[in-house]
Amino acid sequence: MKLRLVLCPVLLCLAGSILPAQTAHQRETFRGLTDPQTVSDTLPGPKYMKEHVVDGKLRLTLQDAVVLTLVNNSNVRIQELNIEAAKYGLLGAHSPFDPLVQSSFNAQRSISQASTDLSGVPKQGVPLSTLNQFTQVSYSQTIETGTNFQTNFNVTKLSSNSTNNFINPSISSFLSFQFTQPLLRNRWLFANRAPLVIARRNLRGSRAMFEVQVSNTIQLVVAQYWNVVQARGNLEVARTSLDAAEATYKHDKRALELGALPPLDIYRSESQVAGRRVQVIQSEYALKQTEDAFRQTVGADLDPYFRALDLDLTQSAEPAVELPDVDAATALQQALGKRQELEVARQSLANDDTSVRLAHNNLLPDLRLGGNYSGNGLNQIIVPPQLVATGGFGDSLNQLFGFGYPSYGFSLTLDLPIRNRGAQAALGNALVSRRRDLYTERQIREQITYDVSNAVHQLEQAKISMAASKEAVDLARKSMAAEQRKYELGQGQIFLVLEAQTELATAEQGRLQAEIGYQLAVAALDHATGSLLEPYGVQVAELTR
């Protein structure tokens, strides 16, 4: 069964801009990230666990253990959330280019006493009443060249009982266009796109780091799986050794009863039984500890039912294929091309280069070019040279968009810091960070070289140890059979039989340990070369735009 860890595609779609330059940047959409989400304190339980319950036991192959770990392990889920956080970081990096629409409406009624004839009240004693209504709509947006555009439209309606107002009510409309363009600091594309570029690299880096963590987790569960297998094998060897010691003790006890064995010789058999019983007890609790650690990793401890099930690990430690030969140079070349730690380091160095350029940009003077154009209109109908009538809102708009009463201009603004210590410090920090990341990349390469060399040596040692351990078990069995036969014929001694039993148990444990060591060495080599995901069919899906 193949497991595909699919990371949600990262896409951000900005609203279409009226400016052609806005369409030049890399577009993305965040489908689902901006949807309303239900806040819940309940986390899902273990998945795909029931499918592996057979005869009241949790039966797992190594492949099953890897799959259960990747879908249930809490640490994997936590690490995956780092990618989600990086996606939201990229979403936030687009915020400077988000358009903004603002609107407002104000109405103010004012009633006051008239103190002079200049107030224009119809007659003395009548209060001056004024109603002022103001409506405004504005639109602003910054594009990736650093250019900021603003459009403002407002309408003011003034009504009054003053006879001095020859247009009553008066409706004035206003429309303006403004722009500001940086010419030195933050000019054009680089400085304004830099946060986006850094956020995209952070997302790629978080994906690469997640793949590293998935590989580490697979190596952990593989090691724990084989630890359980080894602990169970050690327990079986200890029990077999105990059975052999008890059989020898019963034989000696019968011989003592018949007078064929000196009384003092029985104590040797009894002490061996007692000592091997201690080994069985220690092996049982060692198995429980390794099983508990394994259950936690695969997520079986999340549910009391699965936690109480016995484990039935069916994978055999003995290699099923011919042991391969590994070339250290080829393995190192593969590791340098596939280890995702290097990808994380490359993304960090690329961000450092961007930060250095951005820091140099912030040292520049701030020179801005601005321009504006506006027009206005009034609700009056004029037949030159005099006012004919008071019009309505449509007449005000006709004058406004006729641009018969324009206003326009431009400006240059220069901010020249005498000293800019903050920007200088930011540049210094960026250079230090880049230097640190260069050493980090070199350190990673050194660690990869060591990991590959160590894994190759470990694999070679495991192959030699397996061959030697099989021969040791065969010889130990023959030795025990010979000593047992001589003892039964009365030509041997009891301590030689017991010693042969101990040697056989030690040889069998050594063979099991060698087989487990080989399996762990294979996993270590795959991990060192960045190929550990492939044998188990795990894929971390590529991020798409």
Side-chain angles (χ1 to χ4, degrees):
M1 179 174 97
K2 285 192 175 182
L3 175 67
R4 179 184 294 268
L5 296 182
V6 180
L7 306 182
C8 296
V10 176
L11 303 157
L12 173 56
C13 183
L14 294 179
S17 171
I18 59 174
L19 303 169
Q22 181 73 13
T23 62
H25 74 77
Q26 184 176 1
R27 293 175 178 254
E28 295 146 331
T29 60
F30 284 87
R31 294 180 180 176
L33 293 185
T34 56
D35 295 341
Q37 299 183 13
T38 303
V39 178
S40 174
D41 295 331
T42 303
L43 296 176
K47 299 179 180 179
Y48 311 122
M49 202 73 70
K50 291 183 178 180
E51 292 85 341
H52 302 289
V53 177
V54 180
D55 297 333
K57 295 182 180 181
L58 191 60
R59 181 174 297 175
L60 299 174
T61 63
L62 183 56
Q63 173 77 23
D64 298 333
V66 170
V67 172
L68 291 179
T69 298
L70 295 181
V71 297
N72 294 321
N73 187 268
S74 298
N75 186 57
V76 174
R77 301 275 71 80
I78 291 173
Q79 300 302 333
E80 189 176 14
L81 290 177
N82 291 336
I83 298 180
E84 299 299 311
K87 292 178 183 178
Y88 284 112
L90 178 56
L91 176 63
H94 286 82
S95 60
F97 310 111
D98 291 339
L100 176 64
V101 176
Q102 293 179 306
S103 62
S104 64
F105 172 77
N106 295 316
Q108 184 71 32
R109 168 73 73 176
S110 176
I111 301 176
S112 61
Q113 296 181 356
S115 58
T116 66
D117 292 337
L118 296 177
S119 61
V121 294
K123 61 181 180 179
Q124 188 175 2
V126 176
L128 177 63
S129 177
T130 303
L131 174 62
N132 191 351
Q133 296 173 301
F134 178 78
T135 302
Q136 176 177 267
V137 178
S138 63
Y139 175 91
S140 63
Q141 185 176 12
T142 300
I143 61 175
E144 292 186 358
T145 58
T147 309
N148 177 264
F149 292 88
Q150 296 183 10
T151 301
N152 181 53
F153 172 75
N154 64 68
V155 178
T156 302
K157 180 179 180 181
L158 178 64
S159 302
S160 174
N161 63 351
S162 173
T163 58
N164 291 337
N165 295 340
F166 55 90
I167 299 178
N168 192 14
S170 66
I171 302 175
S172 60
S173 55
F174 177 83
L175 178 64
S176 67
F177 302 93
Q178 301 178 25
F179 79 91
T180 304
Q181 173 63 53
L183 299 180
L184 291 176
R185 186 193 305 172
N186 297 331
R187 63 177 179 178
W188 310 128
L189 296 176
F190 167 75
N192 298 284
R193 284 183 178 178
L196 280 173
V197 172
I198 291 175
R200 290 186 184 113
R201 292 192 185 122
N202 288 339
L203 181 57
R204 288 193 289 268
S206 65
R207 177 203 173 274
M209 180 54 67
F210 178 63
E211 186 168 336
V212 171
Q213 292 156 347
V214 167
S215 180
N216 292 340
T217 303
I218 292 177
Q219 187 181 30
L220 172 64
V221 71
V222 168
Q224 291 181 341
Y225 186 96
W226 292 121
N227 286 342
V228 173
V229 172
Q230 183 175 1
R232 182 162 296 165
N234 289 338
L235 177 59
E236 293 175 356
V237 171
R239 285 174 175 171
T240 301
S241 179
L242 176 60
D243 292 340
E246 288 178 342
T248 302
Y249 171 70
K250 291 179 181 179
H251 178 275
D252 291 348
K253 186 176 180 180
R254 180 61 177 167
L256 179 63
E257 293 173 352
L258 297 175
L261 184 71
L264 296 180
D265 288 350
I266 193 66
Y267 295 120
R268 186 182 297 274
S269 298
E270 289 180 342
S271 65
Q272 285 292 324
V273 171
R276 295 179 188 184
R277 184 173 290 117
V278 171
Q279 292 178 356
V280 170
I281 295 172
Q282 292 174 342
S283 298
E284 287 176 346
Y285 279 91
L287 176 60
K288 290 180 180 180
Q289 290 176 345
T290 55
E291 285 182 339
D292 288 342
F294 179 76
R295 287 190 183 95
Q296 181 183 15
T297 301
V298 300
D301 65 330
L302 299 175
D303 190 294
Y305 171 74
F306 299 115
R307 189 189 310 133
L309 294 177
D310 291 332
L311 296 178
D312 182 14
L313 306 187
T314 60
Q315 198 92 2
S316 174
E318 185 175 0
V321 296
E322 185 178 353
L323 306 185
D325 293 326
V326 178
D327 179 65
T330 303
L332 178 58
Q333 184 178 4
Q334 180 182 356
L336 294 176
K338 299 183 69 173
R339 285 283 288 266
Q340 292 301 304
E341 293 94 327
L342 285 175
E343 176 64 19
V344 176
R346 284 191 288 266
Q347 296 299 329
S348 296
L349 281 173
N351 278 346
D352 290 335
D353 292 336
T354 301
S355 298
V356 170
R357 289 184 61 191
L358 192 60
H360 280 294
N361 164 81
N362 292 334
L363 287 171
L364 296 174
D366 188 7
L367 178 63
R368 295 177 178 268
L369 171 66
N372 65 83
Y373 184 92
S374 62
N376 61 83
L378 191 63
N379 61 325
Q380 57 182 356
I381 302 175
I382 299 177
V383 178
Q386 63 180 359
L387 172 67
V388 176
T390 299
F393 179 57
D395 298 303
S396 178
L397 291 182
N398 286 335
Q399 285 191 15
L400 172 65
F401 291 105
F403 295 102
Y405 304 94
S407 175
Y408 44 85
F410 75 95
S411 65
L412 280 175
T413 304
L414 176 63
D415 290 341
L416 184 62
I418 303 303
R419 301 193 68 176
N420 196 347
R421 298 178 181 178
Q424 292 172 349
L427 175 59
N429 287 332
L431 292 172
V432 170
S433 178
R434 185 179 185 278
R435 191 72 173 171
R436 182 189 300 112
D437 287 339
L438 282 172
Y439 278 109
T440 300
E441 184 188 31
R442 187 174 76 175
Q443 187 179 44
I444 291 173
R445 289 181 179 274
E446 292 173 347
Q447 184 63 43
I448 290 175
T449 302
Y450 171 78
D451 290 344
V452 172
S453 176
N454 187 56
V456 170
H457 294 329
Q458 183 180 350
L459 184 61
E460 292 174 349
Q461 177 188 358
K463 289 161 60 177
I464 297 173
S465 298
M466 275 202 309
S469 64
K470 290 180 180 180
E471 184 178 358
V473 169
D474 183 58
L475 293 175
R477 285 176 177 170
K478 293 179 180 180
S479 177
M480 190 189 75
E483 293 297 336
Q484 184 71 31
R485 182 60 177 167
K486 287 191 294 184
Y487 180 69
E488 292 173 353
L489 295 176
Q491 298 178 356
Q493 297 181 2
I494 183 59
F495 78 90
L496 294 176
V497 176
L498 296 174
E499 184 179 0
Q501 292 175 355
T502 302
E503 290 176 352
L504 176 59
T506 302
E508 289 178 341
Q509 288 180 338
R511 184 183 65 177
L512 177 61
Q513 183 176 359
E515 293 174 348
I516 297 297
Y518 174 79
Q519 298 293 344
L520 295 178
V522 172
L525 182 61
D526 288 340
H527 180 269
T529 57
S531 305
L532 189 56
L533 278 63
E534 297 173 4
Y536 304 101
V538 179
Q539 298 178 7
V540 180
E542 290 289 343
L543 298 175
T544 59
R545 290 195 295 271

